[in-house]
Amino acid sequence: MSTTNMSPATSEPRPTYLSDYRPPAYRATHTELKFDLAPSSTRVTALLHLERHPDSSGERPLVLHGEKLSLQRIAIDGQELQEGEYRLDEETLTIEHAPDRLRLETEVDIDPASNTALQGLYVSNGMFCTQCEAEGFRRITFYPDRPDVMATFSTTLIGDQQQLPVLLSNGNPVERGELPNGKHFVTWEDPFPKPSYLFALVAGQLEKVEDRFTTMSGREVLLEIWVEPANIDKTEHAMRSLKAAMKWDEETYGREYDLDRFMIVAVDDFNMGAMENKGLNIFNSAAVLTHPHTATDAAFQRVEGVVAHEYFHNWSGNRVTCRDWFQLSLKEGFTVFRDQSFSADMNSAPVKRIEDVSFLRTAQFAEDAGPTAHPVRPDHYIEITNFYTLTIYEKGAEIVRMLRHLLGWETFRKGSDLYFERFDGQAVTIEDFVGCMAEVSGHDLDQFMRWYSQAGTPEIDAIGEYDYAKGEYRLTLRQRTPATPDQPDKQSLHIPVRVGLVGTKSGEDLTLTLENPEDQENLDKGGVLHLREEEQTFVFTGLNEAPIPSLLRGFSAPARLRFPYGRDDLAFLLKHDSDGFNRWDAGQRLAMLALEDLIAAHRNGVEKVMDPRVTEAFRGLLTTPTDDKAVLAEMLTLPSEAYIAEQQPVVDVDAIHAARTFVKQSLAGALRDEFLALYQANRSDAEYAPDAEQIAARSLKNVALSYLMSIEDDEGIALAGQQFEADHNMTDVRAALTLLVHSSRGDIADPALRAFGEKWAHDPLVMDQWFSLQVTRPQSDALDRVKYLMAHPAFSLKNPNRVRALIGAFVGQNRVNFHRLDGAGYELLADVVIELNKLNPEIAARIITPLTRWQRFDEERQALMKAQLERIRAEDLSPNVYEVVEKALAA
Ligand code: B3K
Ligand code: ZN
């Protein structure tokens, strides 16, 4: 049981409120740490240079955080404290009458080997590593563990020379040497003041690859990627990505790296993707290791994005950090925006936008519509770990993107420069960031700030009317944000709506002239209408042909936009819209209309009929030559079941699955030859490279194969078999194997699966894929397979990647089987959550998400899901799971 963990029957964990923020009574200026590393008992000696905060009155005591620490010694300025001179509870150490300036020494013992929560110091595959964000450092030593306390650190690591030959921490190594009993030590110094959440140490048997980067001012930086010896051949792409990111940040944001060395370490047990510790980024091995034979294109791209994200944090997060954890999106939203822009520049920009928006609309919109909805800057939380959400990250990035477009790149860049210069070395707020943007642009961003405080996805209802005689088009936009928990009433947001009017005769963008000069001025600056009121009408004049509006171009705001498009309008936009994103979106909308009909047909038990307009639109896509294969692959991809579900008032998983399968099979049947030709045209024996061109061709080929396999076309099956056997690269192997395993052709799939499992038994990241692709198969035996695989020797609830690969994939991507009407899927998830609650509360509170969305389903399923939530609530819960389950049941 964790220290803040109280059984709901006795007392409930208490929330922390933004409005209660006060600067700390004391701050640390310099911190000296010594670790004597041993798996079950590590001695941590800390010497903190503390001084009273200038804003703090003399009455406030010195309070340090500390959890699960066994205190051995405590002294102030060399004087041992006696019992009674300090107070210890499960979360804090309090010294009532401390001097204004002091040196506090503590010695504590901790137990990294039994730390399955993976916060603080823990052991992964025999390697010591840390995860301190947000509040893990307090599990290492007593400390003012809050981001507004920034100190320089000096860290000495002591370990067995054989077991722990490599000893790493933040900054630069300044001393090393041998010690008695086969031990050795290394001392590291980090000259940049940092909050404790950016502290890191790593110790183990590691090997490195190194490289160098010369910064724009001519300094040479040593780059090191540290991995277990078996993975030394999987670092090349991460290194290339790191150098590209360093260069990009110099060129794009004028940001240069500051230390002499930058290290990345790969660990197998990690709760998130990676962590931006100063000078020593620690990565989930899944977010750093790649090899053409073990990682898919998607994995290569993820590595590039995450390496860049963590590197970019060196400025947006580390040099300028958050005052408190309510400001989390200050660093995360901005840094996600930065990594999205980087990936767009490295690959296909339109595809990157399509992927990011699909993800946002599917997953973040669902969060915003569910019981855990919260503003991008929350005003209270019980467990901050629960707030590393899609809303903080992805919606936060959309807000920064809106600012970038409102201001234009050059002004936005000036605002960014001002922010980094003015607040360098400080812990600041979202107002400080937006304030810089307002200051450099002269824009009034007061209303815009509501994006940070108001939860929920705004809905925009648009209607348009063309007056032929006057040559006018009247576009009326009405906004509304639905109520969310704690926020019944919403105010109007400032929403930038990028528009175009596409002429129905010419197929070209018409010149936009607005009646109102102020609106026209805004429009001239980038085709944007500023919707600030609940309802606004924009009158476009001088039009000599009827237009079809193209709205929210490039997805200019994270909103749901409705417009009564006819199917012919959508087919027209799919052909003619000059905005690539909206061209794709028109195709998705067209498919959605057809899917909605088919969902209804399935529910009503009437025969399903395919809308020929969808087939013709696809035929058009398949037969029109294109130079953008990457976008074509996206256009040929139907909306996911999760996205379709998002659009339904009551989710009918079976009807959605049936309708989508029907559309896919109809298209495959009607366009078989075209898909086959597409497949053949995009085959290649060229040596694998994760470049945009090859990735596009592979996506296109594998999309074509998925259509052919949907009808279990003989030729398709043969091609999938050959593609698997050819073993050219993991992208192709995994695509082929997944299609085979998801088909009814067990005769081909089973031996392939077995061969794959045996071949890769030694590689955890490939085995994760082996687990996932089996449990996502739509056949009704999937749940049995999950249970069978949970008993597999390679499965462990202690490894978050494995949990995500098996349980996460099943509950998130196998909707028909997770939502089985006998409730067995829900029961299985609840069982897992109950076990994980004890082992790793952070992961438990995440994996439970699908159960919390019970209101979206029919009554029968609602009852089954709620029953499992109640069952979980009856357990002795971590604050993490407690907070999520309470919200879900209160909804
Ligand atoms: N900042 C880390 C978050 C880790 C927090 C885990 N509770 C990852 C990132 O956004 O870069
Ligand atoms: Zn981040």
Side-chain angles (χ1 to χ4, degrees):
M1 200 169 101
S2 90
T3 47
T4 47
N5 176 356
M6 286 159 270
S7 114
T10 51
S11 77
E12 294 169 358
R14 269 175 301 124
T16 304
Y17 293 92
L18 168 58
S19 55
D20 287 344
Y21 174 82
R22 284 215 282 175
Y26 282 81
R27 62 186 184 192
T29 53
H30 181 61
T31 299
E32 292 168 49
L33 301 171
K34 189 174 86 187
F35 290 81
D36 203 338
L37 295 162
S40 302
S41 180
T42 286
R43 171 69 53 97
V44 185
T45 308
L47 174 61
L48 314 184
H49 298 243
L50 297 163
E51 61 186 36
R52 192 168 277 288
H53 192 285
D55 300 345
S56 154
S57 79
E59 283 144 42
R60 291 169 63 196
L62 169 61
V63 183
L64 303 175
H65 302 104
E67 292 177 13
K68 299 174 187 246
L69 307 173
S70 162
L71 182 62
Q72 305 298 315
R73 179 170 171 265
I74 177 165
I76 288 182
D77 297 326
Q79 294 278 318
E80 306 271 331
L81 294 194
Q82 305 306 316
E83 258 184 62
E85 290 181 298
Y86 64 95
R87 227 173 40 241
L88 209 52
D89 65 23
E90 302 226 289
E91 294 176 13
T92 52
L93 186 157
T94 305
I95 300 168
E96 218 47 72
H97 305 290
D100 284 352
R101 245 172 204 287
L102 66 153
R103 289 157 63 113
L104 178 76
E105 280 175 86
T106 59
E107 279 181 38
V108 301
D109 285 340
I110 54 177
D111 180 0
S114 64
N115 180 355
T116 55
L118 312 186
Q119 290 184 32
L121 178 66
Y122 63 95
V123 180
S124 170
N125 265 357
M127 184 201 307
F128 286 82
C129 63
T130 50
Q131 172 54 38
C132 294
E133 187 179 357
E135 298 180 337
F137 193 73
R138 61 189 63 184
R139 297 178 187 202
I140 292 176
T141 193
F142 288 103
Y143 203 76
D145 185 17
R146 39 187 289 169
D148 57 355
V149 172
M150 297 171 90
T152 51
F153 278 66
S154 162
T155 305
T156 299
L157 305 178
I158 300 169
D160 185 273
Q161 253 180 55
Q162 301 299 319
Q163 298 300 315
L164 306 174
V166 176
L167 301 169
L168 309 175
S169 190
N170 317 84
N172 304 308
V174 292
E175 205 186 336
R176 64 176 75 232
E178 294 193 2
L179 295 169
N181 304 325
K183 290 186 177 184
H184 69 143
F185 77 95
V186 181
T187 299
W188 292 79
E189 269 175 15
D190 182 358
F192 290 94
K194 67 166 176 290
S196 47
Y197 83 87
L198 290 172
F199 171 80
L201 79 79
V202 170
Q205 294 173 348
L206 296 162
E207 282 183 14
K208 67 172 168 181
V209 288
E210 57 173 63
D211 208 330
R212 269 154 223 283
F213 179 84
T214 306
T215 69
M216 58 187 183
S217 71
R219 276 189 317 105
E220 193 168 273
V221 180
L222 175 63
L223 310 177
E224 296 180 337
I225 300 184
W226 291 89
V227 297
E228 287 170 25
N231 292 325
I232 203 79
D233 62 338
K234 301 195 183 81
T235 58
E236 195 187 313
H237 182 66
M239 187 64 91
R240 192 173 341 124
S241 303
L242 174 60
K243 287 188 286 181
M246 293 177 87
K247 187 151 180 285
W248 187 91
D249 214 18
E250 292 185 345
E251 288 170 355
T252 315
Y253 281 87
R255 297 292 118 200
E256 183 176 353
Y257 187 62
D258 46 14
L259 283 162
D260 295 336
R261 103 172 38 207
F262 186 84
M263 295 172 282
I264 286 178
V265 183
V267 303
D268 285 341
D269 301 280
F270 206 74
N271 283 349
M272 305 268 290
M275 178 64 212
E276 70 264 25
N277 314 299
K278 184 75 186 188
L280 178 56
N281 285 193
I282 298 181
F283 272 63
N284 185 327
S285 51
V288 60
L289 302 178
T290 56
H291 186 280
H293 284 296
T294 62
T296 60
D297 290 339
F300 272 83
Q301 292 190 320
R302 173 168 183 230
V303 166
E304 182 180 70
V306 180
V307 167
H309 178 99
E310 306 311 331
Y311 173 74
F312 296 157
H313 268 316
N314 191 55
W315 277 96
S316 49
N318 301 3
R319 288 287 287 258
V320 182
T321 194
C322 302
R323 186 193 74 173
D324 53 74
W325 293 119
F326 296 100
Q327 320 295 329
L328 180 57
S329 195
L330 172 72
K331 74 178 177 79
E332 296 305 345
F334 188 21
T335 305
V336 170
F337 172 67
R338 279 151 53 70
D339 85 58
Q340 289 177 345
S341 314
F342 167 74
S343 292
D345 286 352
M346 296 296 123
N347 302 286
S348 158
V351 167
K352 178 65 181 153
R353 188 66 186 138
I354 289 167
E355 287 170 353
D356 290 340
V357 173
S358 294
F359 182 49
L360 183 90
R361 292 203 298 207
T362 305
Q364 194 279 325
F365 281 17
E367 180 169 276
D368 241 350
T372 57
H374 53 276
V376 171
R377 178 165 57 196
D379 51 18
H380 67 281
Y381 57 75
I382 288 178
E383 173 52 63
I384 184 58
T385 311
N386 286 339
F387 285 78
Y388 286 74
T389 60
L390 299 166
T391 299
I392 305 288
Y393 276 66
E394 312 301 321
K395 186 174 179 181
E398 291 299 319
I399 299 178
V400 177
R401 182 179 296 268
M402 287 191 283
L403 282 171
R404 179 245 174 273
H405 284 290
L406 286 173
L407 270 59
W409 169 252
E410 278 174 15
T411 309
F412 177 83
R413 168 64 203 273
K414 279 196 195 117
S416 159
D417 287 351
L418 178 64
Y419 170 71
F420 288 130
E421 275 150 35
R422 181 175 290 170
F423 299 115
D424 190 7
Q426 296 184 45
V428 303
T429 63
I430 284 172
E431 277 80 4
D432 291 325
F433 178 74
V434 179
C436 287
M437 296 298 165
E439 191 174 319
V440 294
S441 67
H443 281 49
D444 175 354
L445 296 172
D446 289 352
Q447 186 186 3
F448 186 83
M449 281 299 290
R450 288 180 192 159
W451 279 106
Y452 286 105
S453 56
Q454 196 162 281
T457 305
E459 297 168 355
I460 306 169
D461 275 295
I463 45 166
E465 211 184 330
Y466 178 60
D467 183 328
Y468 178 79
K470 289 194 192 149
E472 265 181 24
Y473 188 77
R474 296 173 68 84
L475 180 70
T476 300
L477 303 176
R478 189 178 304 138
Q479 64 162 303
R480 173 188 166 266
T481 304
T484 50
D486 305 333
Q487 288 188 335
D489 303 312
K490 305 287 183 176
Q491 294 175 293
S492 291
L493 293 165
H494 175 186
I495 308 181
V497 182
R498 186 177 297 267
V499 296
L501 294 180
V502 186
T504 44
K505 275 196 219 132
S506 59
E508 310 239 312
D509 278 342
L510 305 178
T511 306
L512 302 182
T513 313
L514 280 167
E515 259 184 348
N516 178 334
E518 199 186 308
D519 288 338
Q520 183 65 40
E521 202 189 316
N522 284 323
L523 194 62
D524 290 342
K525 287 194 211 134
V528 170
L529 303 177
H530 291 257
L531 177 61
R532 296 169 184 268
E533 315 293 328
E534 204 175 307
E535 182 177 316
Q536 272 166 260
T537 296
F538 301 89
V539 183
F540 296 90
T541 57
L543 304 168
N544 46 24
E545 56 180 310
I548 299 176
S550 168
L551 302 167
L552 215 63
R553 280 184 160 176
F555 203 66
S556 62
R560 291 179 202 263
L561 185 130
R562 287 187 290 251
F563 182 87
Y565 286 114
R567 294 182 198 205
D568 293 328
D569 297 342
L570 292 169
F572 184 84
L573 287 176
L574 175 62
K575 268 209 196 96
H576 298 288
D577 201 323
S578 65
D579 183 76
F581 177 83
N582 271 15
R583 211 163 49 240
W584 167 80
D585 200 34
Q588 297 289 299
R589 285 174 188 263
L590 178 61
M592 272 308 301
L593 291 177
L595 285 160
E596 275 160 17
D597 287 352
L598 293 161
I599 289 167
H602 184 87
R603 293 175 68 94
N604 300 329
V606 301
E607 197 195 338
K608 297 191 187 69
V609 184
M610 179 67 179
D611 182 343
R613 280 169 290 199
V614 177
T615 313
E616 285 322 302
F618 270 67
R619 191 189 303 282
L621 291 172
L622 286 164
T623 52
T624 313
T626 173
D627 45 18
D628 199 341
K629 289 185 176 188
V631 169
L632 178 59
E634 293 292 340
M635 294 208 170
L636 292 174
T637 303
L638 294 173
S640 67
E641 289 184 18
Y643 180 74
I644 302 169
E646 247 313 279
Q647 319 308 311
Q648 304 290 303
V650 177
V651 179
D652 183 336
V653 280
D654 299 311
I656 290 171
H657 181 69
R660 189 176 186 278
T661 306
F662 178 83
V663 172
K664 196 149 188 188
Q665 290 175 339
S666 307
L667 291 170
L671 303 166
R672 177 192 178 275
D673 294 346
E674 286 80 357
F675 282 120
L676 201 53
L678 189 66
Y679 181 89
Q680 300 294 8
N682 287 284
R683 282 176 101 154
S684 160
D685 292 327
E687 194 192 337
Y688 177 91
D691 61 38
E693 198 184 330
Q694 278 201 15
I695 290 175
R698 276 190 290 273
S699 328
L700 209 42
K701 178 183 66 175
N702 289 321
V703 167
L705 189 60
S706 81
Y707 277 93
L708 297 170
M709 284 295 289
S710 72
I711 47 173
E712 303 203 359
D713 180 276
D714 285 344
E715 213 165 334
I717 289 169
L719 290 172
Q722 285 161 21
Q723 185 170 313
F724 175 78
E725 292 294 331
D727 199 11
H728 189 273
N729 60 75
M730 184 51 105
T731 306
D732 286 346
V733 169
R734 180 173 175 176
L737 184 59
T738 303
L739 291 168
L740 289 168
V741 172
H742 291 201
S743 79
S744 64
R745 296 297 299 271
D747 57 321
I748 309 175
D750 294 346
L753 201 52
R754 202 171 317 117
F756 185 89
E758 279 163 16
K759 177 170 177 189
W760 294 109
H762 64 280
D763 189 315
L765 296 177
V766 183
M767 287 306 280
D768 284 338
Q769 306 181 59
W770 182 79
F771 279 106
S772 290
L773 65 90
Q774 297 183 62
V775 298
T776 46
R777 72 188 235 114
Q779 282 79 355
S780 58
D781 63 356
L783 189 124
D784 294 334
R785 219 180 262 218
V786 176
K787 289 187 174 158
Y788 172 78
L789 289 173
M790 281 177 76
H792 192 284
F795 181 75
S796 164
L797 279 175
K798 289 188 183 162
N799 178 258
N801 286 356
R802 219 17 72 85
V803 172
R804 285 184 279 254
L806 181 54
I807 312 298
F810 175 68
V811 304
Q813 292 164 51
N814 196 339
R815 302 174 68 90
V816 275
N817 284 299
F818 173 61
H819 292 282
R820 276 162 57 137
L821 259 181
D822 63 359
Y826 306 147
E827 196 181 339
L828 179 125
L829 178 54
D831 290 344
V832 169
V833 169
I834 289 168
E835 281 310 302
L836 274 176
N837 172 61
K838 297 174 209 149
L839 294 169
N840 188 332
E842 179 174 356
I843 299 297
R846 266 172 203 281
I847 204 104
I848 197 175
T849 305
L851 273 182
T852 67
R853 307 275 162 81
W854 57 268
Q855 310 101 303
R856 303 282 291 112
F857 296 87
D858 54 83
E859 279 178 21
E860 215 174 331
R861 287 188 172 89
Q862 288 198 359
L864 291 165
M865 294 170 97
K866 277 203 291 201
Q868 294 305 326
L869 287 168
E870 302 276 6
R871 206 181 119 220
I872 295 168
R873 181 158 65 176
E875 294 284 315
D876 187 5
L877 293 180
S878 59
N880 310 55
V881 177
Y882 172 83
E883 181 172 38
V884 175
V885 170
E886 281 298 313
K887 282 184 178 176
L889 283 170

